[in-house]
Each structure stands twice: as structure tokens, then as C-alpha cells.
Amino acid sequence: MECAREKNYLKLDLYCYILKKEYIYQGRYLKSAYNDYMNSQLNKIKPFNPEDFLILVVDDLSKNLQLVVDILDHSGYATTFATSGQQAFERVRTAHPDLILLDLMMPEMNGLQVCEKLKSNQEYQEIPIIFLTASDEEGDLLEAFKLGAVDYVTKPFRAAELLARVKNHLELKRTRDELKAAYAQLELLVNIDPLTNVANRRALFKFGEQELYRAQRYHCSFSILLIDLDYFKHINDSYGHAMGDTVLKIVCNAINNSIRQIDLLGRFGGEEFVVILPKTKLKEAIIVAERIRKTISELSLLVGQKTLKITASIGLATYNQKDATLDEVLHRADKGLYLAKERGRNQVVIYDLNEPQEHD
Ligand code: GH3
Ligand code: MG
């Protein structure tokens, strides 16, 4: 722990200062991670190639069907077809087309019904549907757009128009998919600590606040462990920073193996970690904290001929109904951690109720 913090651990303003410092650090990291990610995505963008796309053509009249399939085949698209609404579903399920050209008027199940059914299915609702219509069916087109169709082509087809619309919607779909993947990746980047791959401070706070609201709403409990490695500076000084990094990763792995799937381990900063234990009362939290402390103390890392040992001090706090914010619970865990350090390290101290309790 930092000396200044040890001396002033009761001062909330200093605590906030450390939080702010960490956010600035994360802001820098995120900006550069974002730039790296965007550059890698730009390098990945492929030119449009019809062969990459499978188009399902649905029409009950084989003459019309053949005409459309021929136009698409000639341009290099992969095609598959169906002659009824029912068959169309089968094809969608088995072939996963990138786009559907759907005849509006078909016996049994018409195009509008097929469209409605596909759009109500989460798995298929993103597939663009272009309707094939006769010019006198335009009244139905409004309904088609309402149901989620993206476009229409009027029979008799003009090959160039059909191909232009198909290409436009495939490109739009690809851009949408890439954006979605990019958001998912960025979401991951903003929540994960890049060294240890555990949750970062941002994700910890999000998760912790969720637990607090749940506890307040349903009168249940949750506990927080603040874990700080003992004399970690000594490891960096003796074995180098890279070894220090490896130890952090190994410790995270060990902690993760000591908690449940629904618990969350995150890096609070430096060599300090937080575990949030949902629906966990003090008694069970002590068991988890002790298990983590013991697991870390039993780790052995071979460095050359030497075996490196490490211990951790843990501050434990459990939510109580008077807690209005997550900071209040964290602050108690921090006080427990301070006492654990003061009392000789490698131990768990519960800072709860009205008095800190030593635990061994
Ligand atoms: P204490 O038992 O009081 O906690 O002592 P300590 O040495 O663990 O605490 P101190 O705050 O003095 O030192 C923490 C050290 O952790 C110093 C810092 O360089 C190191 N550290 C913080 N982040 C990283 C990191 O990402 N990688 C490595 N290798 N070291 C880190
Ligand atoms: Mg430390």
C-alpha cells in the first residue's frame, strides 16, 4: 500500500483522489486501446465480393425463380431457393442466407406472412428481406415495410436494378454486423484489465452498484474483499517488473479458482484486487476470504533456483442496511485492509458492525 494512504486512510478525500487518478490512467489506456482496435478493424475491411454472400430466392413460380437465380449467379453470388413459405423457413434454418428475395404473392403462406414470421425470430430477424412484387401489389408494400422488409423490386425485373439493390443491402448489413462486433469488442475492452484479464475498476463499480441496488431492494446481503499483495514492491525490486506482472496474473488465476462463477474478481489498481460476493453474508464471506488468503500463501513460483512466495492481506466488509452507497462498503473493506497490514499482513480483517474484528 502507498505510504500516504496508510497514514491518511481515514480521509475520504484522499481515497477519492486515488480513484480519480486511476480513472485518468484508464482514460489514457482506453483511448489507445480504442485507436489500436479501430486501426486493426480498418485493416480487416475486405472489398465487396459477391461470392462471399448466399442469397435465398423465394418464389412459387419456377420461371420467375430461375430468372432471378440466373441474374444472381451471373454476378457471382451463391444462391439457394425455395418455392413456398414453408420451404423458405427450412432453407433459412439450414443454409443461413445473407439476404432473402421474397415473392409477395404466394399460395398458402404469402410473402408478408413469411416476413412476419422471420422477423419475430431473434435468430433470423437481422437477415435483410427484399420483396419481389408485381406493380399492382404496391398497396401491400407499406405493410411489408412495416413488417421489416428493407426494399422491393418490381416485376418484370431489370437485372441492373435488382443487383444494385441486393449489393446495397448486403453492404449495409455487413457494415451493421461489423459495427456490432466492434461495439462488443469495445465493451470488452472498457471492462477488462489488460494485464490480468479480470474486471477493471469500471466494471467492478458497475457490478458492485448493481449488487448494492439488489441488496437495498430485496433486503439481501453482499460482501466485498479488498485484497492487497504484501511487500509486492520487493518482488519487482528483486526479480524485475516482468516477474511482478507474471505474479499478478498467477494470483488472479488463483483467486478466480477460489470463487464462484457469480462472484466477480477485479483489479482495483496496482497490486490491489477486489472480490464482490453477491448474496453472501459475513460468515460465508469469511470462509471465502480465508480460502483466498490461504491459496495465495500456498502459491510457489520457481524463479531460477529460488522459490518465490507471496502473501496477501484482506479487508472484508459486508453490506448493511445503513449503507447508502457502494463507497461506504468499500471504505470499510479498506479500513479492514489497513488493519490487516498493520497487524502483520497475511491475514483477513473484518471491518464491520461497529468494531473491527480480527480473524484468524
Ligand atoms: P504492502 O505490503 O504495504 O502492500 O507493500 P507493497 O510493497 O505491496 O506496497 P507498495 O504500495 O509499497 O508497492 C506496490 C508495488 O506494486 C509498487 C508498484 O511498482 C507495484 N505495481 C503496481 N502495479 C504493478 C504492475 O502492474 N506490475 C508490476 N510488476 N508491479 C506493479
Ligand atoms: Mg501491497
Side-chain angles (χ1 to χ4, degrees):
M1 290 179 83
E2 288 167 44
C3 291
R5 189 163 152 211
E6 281 196 15
K7 284 185 203 135
N8 299 291
Y9 78 99
L10 282 172
K11 288 188 185 162
L12 197 59
D13 55 346
L14 178 67
Y15 187 69
C16 290
Y17 168 73
I18 294 166
L19 285 185
K20 220 158 87 189
K21 223 170 62 173
E22 191 62 28
Y23 275 128
I24 292 165
Y25 161 75
Q26 271 191 22
R28 268 194 223 121
Y29 158 68
L30 287 179
K31 208 167 153 196
S32 85
Y34 176 84
N35 286 342
D36 288 352
Y37 179 72
M38 280 310 175
N39 285 337
S40 72
Q41 287 305 105
L42 284 173
N43 290 337
K44 263 197 237 162
I45 291 176
K46 287 200 299 184
F48 185 87
N49 181 5
E51 284 174 21
D52 295 338
F53 301 98
L54 175 70
I55 298 174
L56 169 65
V57 186
V58 188
D59 202 316
D60 59 310
L61 295 178
S62 54
K63 204 176 78 179
N64 288 348
L65 195 73
Q66 194 58 54
L67 188 70
V68 181
V69 167
D70 282 350
I71 294 170
L72 295 168
D73 280 350
H74 264 100
S75 293
Y77 289 105
T79 53
T80 182
F81 65 89
T83 52
S84 69
Q86 201 48 49
Q87 213 181 60
F89 282 112
E90 226 15 65
R91 288 277 184 279
V92 169
R93 204 174 55 77
T94 54
H96 306 288
D98 296 294
L99 182 143
I100 302 170
L101 285 168
L102 182 59
D103 185 27
L104 193 60
M105 284 301 157
M106 289 188 294
E108 291 168 29
M109 189 187 267
N110 70 26
L112 292 176
Q113 290 166 306
V114 175
C115 179
E116 189 171 20
K117 202 168 162 191
L118 284 171
K119 294 294 167 188
S120 66
N121 186 320
Q122 239 185 347
E123 209 178 325
Y124 310 130
Q125 62 191 190
E126 299 290 324
I127 306 173
I129 296 175
I130 299 178
F131 271 95
L132 306 170
T133 76
S135 53
D136 60 353
E137 293 166 354
E138 280 175 19
D140 287 325
L141 283 173
L142 206 61
E143 185 62 18
F145 280 119
K146 267 194 212 157
L147 292 176
V150 291
D151 211 344
Y152 68 95
V153 184
T154 315
K155 300 174 195 174
F157 314 111
R158 279 182 298 160
E161 184 191 341
L162 176 79
L163 290 171
R165 290 187 192 273
V166 164
K167 183 174 179 224
N168 265 353
H169 289 293
L170 285 173
E171 282 188 320
L172 272 174
K173 166 80 168 34
R174 190 167 72 171
T175 309
R176 255 201 324 268
D177 289 349
E178 280 166 0
L179 266 178
K180 259 196 210 163
Y183 276 129
Q185 184 70 20
L186 280 175
E187 183 73 14
L188 211 68
L189 280 174
V190 295
N191 287 318
I192 296 257
D193 171 59
L195 175 71
T196 56
N197 274 339
V198 299
N200 62 17
R201 184 190 280 271
R202 179 182 186 274
L204 270 174
F205 271 87
K206 213 162 113 188
F207 187 89
E209 258 149 25
Q210 211 43 43
E211 275 319 302
L212 180 88
Y213 299 145
R214 200 193 315 273
Q216 289 171 335
R217 176 82 177 76
Y218 298 108
H219 306 290
C220 53
S221 200
F222 72 96
S223 296
I224 288 186
L225 314 180
L226 194 53
I227 305 167
D228 188 287
L229 301 185
D230 298 327
Y231 304 117
F232 190 70
K233 192 172 176 308
H234 173 72
I235 291 181
N236 276 337
D237 293 346
S238 312
Y239 305 98
H241 205 267
M243 188 63 203
D245 283 357
T246 305
V247 172
L248 293 178
K249 289 187 218 174
I250 290 170
V251 166
C252 279
N253 206 28
I255 299 175
N256 258 332
N257 288 336
S258 308
I259 58 180
R260 297 169 301 178
Q261 193 92 40
I262 57 155
D263 302 330
L264 184 76
L265 163 66
R267 190 174 178 198
F268 211 46
E271 22 72 85
E272 199 170 19
F273 299 92
V274 167
V275 174
I276 300 175
L277 304 165
K279 289 206 165 181
T280 308
K281 292 185 183 139
L282 187 62
K283 222 167 125 187
E284 299 109 69
I286 293 171
I287 296 169
V288 182
E290 260 312 320
R291 187 164 63 228
I292 291 173
R293 187 202 60 75
K294 189 164 174 282
T295 305
I296 294 174
S297 71
E298 286 169 355
L299 288 173
S300 292
L301 291 129
L302 264 181
V303 190
Q305 305 290 339
K306 283 190 187 166
T307 304
L308 190 158
K309 298 294 284 181
I310 180 105
T311 59
S313 301
I314 302 178
L316 192 173
T318 297
Y319 163 82
N320 74 49
Q321 284 176 1
K322 287 186 207 133
D323 291 320
T325 65
L326 183 67
D327 268 351
E328 288 174 40
V329 192
L330 269 170
H331 198 56
R332 286 201 302 280
D334 194 34
K335 285 178 177 177
L337 173 60
Y338 171 74
L339 289 172
K341 293 282 182 189
E342 200 179 53
R343 291 173 184 174
R345 293 169 172 80
N346 189 22
Q347 58 189 280
V348 177
V349 173
I350 307 143
Y351 200 99
D352 245 316
L353 312 171
N354 293 320
E355 284 179 25
Q357 298 172 14
E358 197 163 352
H359 172 78
D360 49 30

